[in-house]
Amino acid sequence: MSLELGVKSSELRETKRKTITVAVAGNPNSGKSTLINAIAGSRLYVGNWPGVTVEKKSAMFEYEGSKIKLVDLPGTYSLSPYTQEEIIARDYLITEKPDVIINVVDATNIERNLYLTIQMLELGIPVVIALNIYDEAEQKGYRINTKAMEEMLGITVIPTVATKKSGLNDLLKAATEAAANPSRYAPKQLHYSEDIESAATFIQTHLNEHHSSLQKRYPMRWLAFKVMEGDSHMMKEAGLDIDISLIEQATKHLTRAHGDDIESIMADERYAFAAGLTREMVKRPEIRKMELTEKIDKVVLNRFLGIPIFLAAMWLVFKLTFDLSQPFGDWIDGATAGPLSRLAAKAITAVNGPLWVASLATEGVLAGVGFVLAFVPVIFAMMFFITFLEGSGYMARAAFVMDRAMHSMGLHGKSFIPMLLGFGCNVPGIYATRTLENPRDKALTALLLPLMSCGARLPVYVVFIGAFFTTHAGTVLWSMYVMGIALAILMGVIFKRTLFRGESPMFIMELPPYRMPSLRNLLIHTWEKGKHFLIKAGTYIFAVSIIVWFLLNLPWGVESKKDSYLGKTGQVIAPVLEPIGFGNWEAASALVTGLIAKEIVVGTMAEIYAVEQEEQEETTVSEDIREIGASFTAAVGDSIRNVFATFGVTSISAEEDDSVSGLRTVIQKAFTPLTAYAFMAFVLLYMPCVVVAIAMKHEFGTWKWFGVAFGYQMVLAWVVALTIYQGGKLLGIGI
Amino acid sequence: MGIADVLIMILIIGGAVYMLYRSLWKKKGHCQGCDSVACEKKQL
């Protein structure tokens, strides 16, 4: 086995381009997105778990006078067309023909990464290796001979540490140089055994003779390999209709001699080459210590402890989230309901605006949007802790320990990844189902995903927990998430026996080493996840708040909100909700508007109950501003004390009954702890929001799956709320 | 309620409905601000 100079596919590419296109490809979790973010200062989503990048994404920047477009391809282990990620990556490299590929190779795991590298070399595109996570390899005592690696592969190898921005300048220099001189940097290619090479030559000759037009589109040697491997996806893509007997004629002696199919034979040779190359280049310490990752995994992945540890970790996340953010939420709530409302009313009165416009601004927009904004601190705190778990590598373990539970519902651990994304927002979770190869898995995962409690439901929980369950806030919040997961497992088992019969495929998941996520990455990705809610508040929650105000005040001059259009709609629906404990028009109306987005449930409640608030005293503008500042300082202090309270000191939220907002006070009159819990469960489970519905239609091309989700979730929400309410009544709990 | 009030009301409701249509329907449910397929075409 040896390497020879590859085909000059530079002819296939345009030599001069204004923009240099650099594809960044590599194994999952090798740090591609981190590398791009470090280079271009962009904010691609990074997580210490495989499968983060599903789509290709790009970042533009300038380097030494050249415009560079970095394209982040999904992480793949090979370029075989078995998964969506592999197809996206391969199709891009073949059809878009980037000027150069930066192949990100995990320096701590070179042998496995080289398999993909070898396949990339066959494409004839200049390749530069970013030997990433080089610092960890050095810490482990690996000595990597990069010069030997360069000589053997015929490409430039640059050690990098993307998280510390180390080696990036050398990498860009090498990439731009390779793009400028593609013929000089044409990579060497693996020379397979003589049998394979002669079969490939036979096929390639046939292709050159009968399909010469393809020479402009594909490297012909590579195409010959694909034909030999029987790659139907590629043959269809190229419009190749080759007589099967011709392929058999070229390969039958190989399959007979090896007793295996061509694809496996070629894969074996690639693996053997990668292993040999690694032996030559990497010197490992002779005595290997048990690494920290292994020590932690011994406990975290323990058969009996795995799931309890996962549940405990989630509990701690919710408890910290609640304790840290609650004072800030109260501050925003207090500021919008008090000083800001007064300021808005004064401003409108000052310009002689109609009274109803002042009411729309204060009781509509500020009550609706302001109330939802009060939950932004909770959402950001939650996203921060979830991002920390993702970045540390724990989330991959969570998927691993959940694999068994997932199998019971006919899925495998990989399906848990879109579900984990669903804890932030169900919509990216729906899109992430495309990482699943099997259409059955995709549909089933998308159906169960809305049961994962997204951030939009948090405001509802926080209001009701604040009103009824302050002493056990974290536990009640945690119970909502656990209920979602448990019901997803139950529904999965039911679907597996009805709509989705069949076995779930085996899934091998890579467990990345534990890493301490950098604060910069944590903050960037917390912001990326959380800003979605701010944008929502500024767009459709704002719009719905206005519409709800009108629906509560039309027909014009209506005396009681109960007689308004929204009130009447609520009254029609209320009887259905009677058996589950909240058959009042206010709750029914809030649930209807919550179909747009679940945060709107509390926004609408804030608008409905706005009249119930006490008359506010007359204050000056400067007093209002001072009040906002003073309450913020108090919120910071409360938040810090609450975090300590998490670890044993008495919780402030448990002590301060006076701080409950106006809405919580009204809710305490309209609900009991039991009906409040049933209501929270109903909000968790009832129909996915409109955005999820549209995402499902977009992803599956049909309304069918949304229809199924809508139907089963409505029934499930009603049945669960009924069980909680009637069960609690029977047992005399929380009445 | 005068004609000016009615006009302001129509304007506000029209604007709110358009905002809803634009953010929910026209963008086909793309998750605003998230890093999923929604931002595929966005140049960072």
Side-chain angles (χ1 to χ4, degrees):
Chain A
M1 223 177 292
S2 66
L3 283 164
E4 62 182 18
L5 198 63
V7 284
K8 288 187 179 177
S9 66
S10 53
E11 290 161 19
L12 304 178
R13 295 182 301 277
E14 296 165 32
T15 47
K16 282 189 178 180
R17 288 181 191 170
K18 281 182 186 171
T19 303
I20 299 171
T21 306
V22 182
V24 182
N27 279 194
N29 212 41
S30 56
K32 296 175 295 303
S33 301
T34 310
L35 189 88
I36 291 186
N37 287 341
I39 293 174
S42 52
R43 291 171 177 188
L44 299 179
Y45 182 28
V46 181
N48 186 14
W49 45 318
V52 165
T53 309
V54 183
E55 286 288 322
K56 55 180 188 293
K57 297 170 193 164
S58 57
M60 292 281 283
F61 68 102
E62 288 208 8
Y63 177 74
E64 292 187 350
S66 306
K67 262 190 180 174
I68 296 181
K69 180 185 178 187
L70 284 179
V71 180
D72 185 20
L73 296 176
T76 61
Y77 295 106
S78 79
L79 292 178
S80 312
Y82 293 121
T83 65
Q84 191 71 26
E85 295 96 317
E86 286 167 349
I87 292 170
I88 291 170
R90 193 178 82 175
D91 283 356
Y92 179 81
L93 294 175
I94 291 297
T95 56
E96 301 290 325
K97 296 183 179 60
D99 299 291
V100 59
I101 301 170
I102 289 182
N103 175 207
V104 184
V105 167
D106 179 353
T108 63
N109 211 337
I110 290 182
E111 186 173 334
R112 196 199 60 205
N113 283 242
L114 279 179
Y115 185 86
L116 176 68
T117 308
I118 293 164
Q119 284 193 314
M120 270 183 217
L121 300 182
E122 287 169 359
L123 300 176
I125 301 168
V127 175
V128 173
I129 285 186
L131 203 53
N132 201 27
I133 322 177
Y134 198 76
D135 53 343
E136 278 188 29
E138 282 183 326
Q139 277 166 19
K140 286 182 176 183
Y142 294 2
R143 279 183 295 138
I144 305 168
N145 188 343
T146 51
K147 278 277 163 258
M149 196 172 176
E150 286 184 337
E151 278 167 25
M152 288 167 123
L153 296 171
I155 56 181
T156 312
V157 178
I158 309 286
T160 59
V161 184
T163 49
K164 294 175 185 164
K165 299 190 175 184
S166 156
L168 303 184
N169 198 40
D170 291 342
L171 181 69
L172 284 175
K173 206 170 173 186
T176 45
E177 234 171 70
N181 305 289
S183 53
R184 205 176 129 202
Y185 286 90
K188 290 180 179 177
Q189 293 183 15
L190 169 62
H191 187 85
Y192 292 90
S193 60
E194 283 314 314
D195 287 352
I196 292 179
E197 287 293 340
S198 60
T201 309
F202 178 79
I203 301 273
Q204 193 178 340
T205 309
H206 173 85
L207 291 174
N208 285 335
E209 282 173 7
H210 298 91
H211 303 274
S212 55
S213 61
L214 291 175
Q215 287 175 7
K216 286 182 184 164
R217 288 170 57 197
Y218 303 105
M220 296 306 272
R221 183 172 182 260
W222 176 82
L223 192 60
F225 287 147
K226 295 295 115 189
V227 171
M228 281 167 65
E229 288 173 345
D231 186 334
S232 54
H233 178 86
M234 195 61 241
M235 289 204 273
K236 195 178 164 194
E237 179 81 22
L240 272 174
D241 187 15
I242 294 182
D243 190 358
I244 298 282
S245 61
L246 184 90
I247 304 171
E248 279 177 358
Q249 187 192 335
T251 59
K252 70 179 174 194
H253 64 289
L254 265 170
T255 48
R256 269 190 206 157
H258 292 266
D260 216 336
D261 59 87
I262 295 292
E263 201 183 352
S264 305
I265 300 165
M266 291 182 72
D268 280 349
E269 293 208 8
R270 287 188 198 115
Y271 279 124
F273 179 73
L277 199 66
T278 311
R279 266 199 308 276
E280 290 291 319
M281 295 175 327
V282 185
K283 295 279 173 277
R284 294 188 174 95
E286 283 182 11
I287 304 163
R288 194 176 150 276
K289 283 191 291 183
M290 193 181 186
E291 288 170 12
L292 182 67
T293 290
E294 289 172 77
K295 285 179 190 164
I296 298 172
D297 277 349
K298 263 193 170 283
V299 181
V300 165
L301 301 181
N302 180 284
R303 200 175 163 188
F304 301 105
L305 294 176
I307 289 182
I309 287 174
F310 169 62
L311 294 176
M314 295 313 275
W315 178 84
L316 190 64
V317 164
F318 300 132
K319 175 88 177 116
L320 280 171
T321 296
F322 209 94
D323 289 348
L324 186 74
S325 61
Q326 178 80 341
F328 292 103
D330 286 344
W331 169 68
I332 296 176
D333 180 29
T336 50
L340 283 179
S341 283
R342 290 196 292 269
L343 284 172
K346 278 173 197 163
I348 292 165
T349 316
V351 294
N352 287 328
L355 273 180
W356 69 266
V357 176
S359 165
L360 169 67
T362 54
E363 292 168 21
V365 176
L366 276 172
V369 179
F371 207 78
V372 172
L373 280 180
F375 301 99
V376 166
V378 185
I379 288 162
F380 272 88
M382 171 79 87
M383 296 311 147
F384 179 85
F385 291 121
I386 287 183
T387 308
F388 178 84
L389 288 183
E390 286 172 2
S392 68
Y394 179 72
M395 278 307 194
R397 270 78 184 174
F400 182 83
V401 297
M402 289 302 287
D403 190 55
R404 211 167 167 196
M406 300 299 280
H407 270 284
S408 67
M409 59 170 133
L411 289 169
H412 53 61
K414 200 175 181 183
S415 293
F416 196 59
I417 292 171
M419 289 191 176
L420 285 174
L421 282 174
F423 283 129
C425 170
N426 287 175
V427 177
I430 297 285
Y431 286 124
T433 59
R434 66 179 56 174
T435 57
L436 307 170
E437 296 90 71
N438 190 333
R440 168 190 170 279
D441 289 352
K442 272 185 69 148
L444 182 52
T445 308
L447 276 185
L448 301 177
L449 207 141
L451 299 180
M452 298 299 112
S453 191
C454 66
R457 287 165 232 196
L458 258 181
V460 183
Y461 305 151
V462 173
V463 166
F464 281 85
I465 288 171
F468 295 101
F469 309 104
T470 46
T471 45
H472 302 287
T475 311
V476 174
L477 185 61
W478 171 81
S479 73
M480 283 293 122
Y481 285 77
V482 173
M483 186 192 292
I485 297 173
L487 287 168
I489 292 173
L490 177 74
M491 289 312 299
V493 173
I494 295 171
F495 282 135
K496 188 189 170 188
R497 290 181 185 176
T498 52
L499 284 176
F500 300 92
R501 287 171 198 272
E503 280 307 304
S504 52
M506 288 299 289
F507 168 58
I508 298 166
M509 182 156 188
E510 184 196 346
L511 294 178
Y514 290 103
R515 293 187 184 117
M516 180 56 78
S518 74
L519 185 65
R520 184 177 175 271
N521 266 345
L522 269 179
L523 294 178
I524 285 175
H525 300 301
T526 301
W527 169 248
E528 287 301 309
K529 285 177 186 160
K531 79 173 182 191
H532 165 59
F533 294 95
L534 283 178
I535 296 169
K536 263 168 98 179
T539 53
Y540 46 86
I541 293 174
F542 174 73
V544 171
S545 297
I546 291 171
I547 293 167
V548 166
W549 185 87
F550 279 107
L551 289 175
L552 277 170
N553 286 281
L554 290 175
W556 202 251
V558 66
E559 285 190 3
S560 163
K561 288 184 178 177
K562 193 178 177 185
D563 300 323
S564 66
Y565 291 148
L566 189 65
K568 282 182 178 161
T569 311
Q571 286 177 60
V572 172
I573 298 163
V576 184
L577 306 175
E578 191 67 53
I580 56 177
F582 37 92
N584 54 66
W585 73 268
E586 293 94 336
S589 307
L591 289 171
V592 171
T593 56
L595 295 179
I596 303 286
K598 301 234 168 155
E599 309 93 313
I600 295 174
V601 170
V602 286
T604 304
M605 283 190 156
E607 288 192 54
I608 290 173
Y609 293 123
V611 285
E612 303 283 339
Q613 288 186 17
E614 287 170 18
E615 281 295 313
Q616 292 164 343
E617 330 164 343
E618 276 296 314
T619 50
T620 63
V621 173
S622 61
E623 279 172 348
D624 285 342
I625 293 168
R626 268 203 304 274
E627 189 184 326
I628 294 172
S631 53
F632 178 76
T633 314
V636 173
D638 286 353
S639 175
I640 294 167
R641 271 175 283 159
N642 266 359
V643 172
F644 286 108
T646 305
F647 301 100
V649 189
T650 314
S651 172
I652 284 161
S653 53
E655 289 176 343
E656 291 185 320
D657 286 337
D658 295 341
S659 69
V660 288
S661 73
L663 178 59
R664 284 184 196 145
T665 315
V666 182
I667 282 174
Q668 280 169 343
K669 288 176 191 157
F671 289 80
T672 64
L674 183 63
T675 54
Y677 196 77
F679 186 79
M680 282 158 59
F682 193 87
V683 170
L684 162 70
L685 302 170
Y686 88 121
M687 191 200 125
C689 71
V690 170
V691 195
V692 170
I694 299 170
M696 275 185 166
K697 160 77 170 66
H698 188 229
E699 194 58 23
F700 293 99
T702 166
W703 287 106
K704 179 184 158 190
W705 294 118
F706 169 68
V708 176
F710 175 83
Y712 98 80
Q713 281 192 242
M714 281 301 199
V715 174
L716 183 69
W718 196 85
V719 170
V720 170
L722 181 82
T723 312
I724 292 170
Y725 177 60
Q726 298 295 350
K729 250 181 32 174
L730 271 176
L731 298 170
I733 304 168
I735 304 169
Chain B
M1 193 180 204
I3 187 86
D5 288 324
V6 174
L7 281 177
I8 296 171
M9 193 169 86
I10 291 171
L11 210 68
I12 294 173
I13 295 177
V17 170
Y18 175 72
M19 192 181 265
L20 262 187
Y21 160 76
R22 194 171 163 272
S23 52
L24 287 179
W25 190 251
K26 210 174 170 190
K27 292 191 176 173
K28 293 178 178 161
H30 284 179
C31 182
Q32 299 171 70
C34 73
D35 246 338
S36 68
V37 66
C39 308
E40 184 191 349
K41 288 174 186 165
K42 192 168 76 178
Q43 293 284 309
L44 291 165

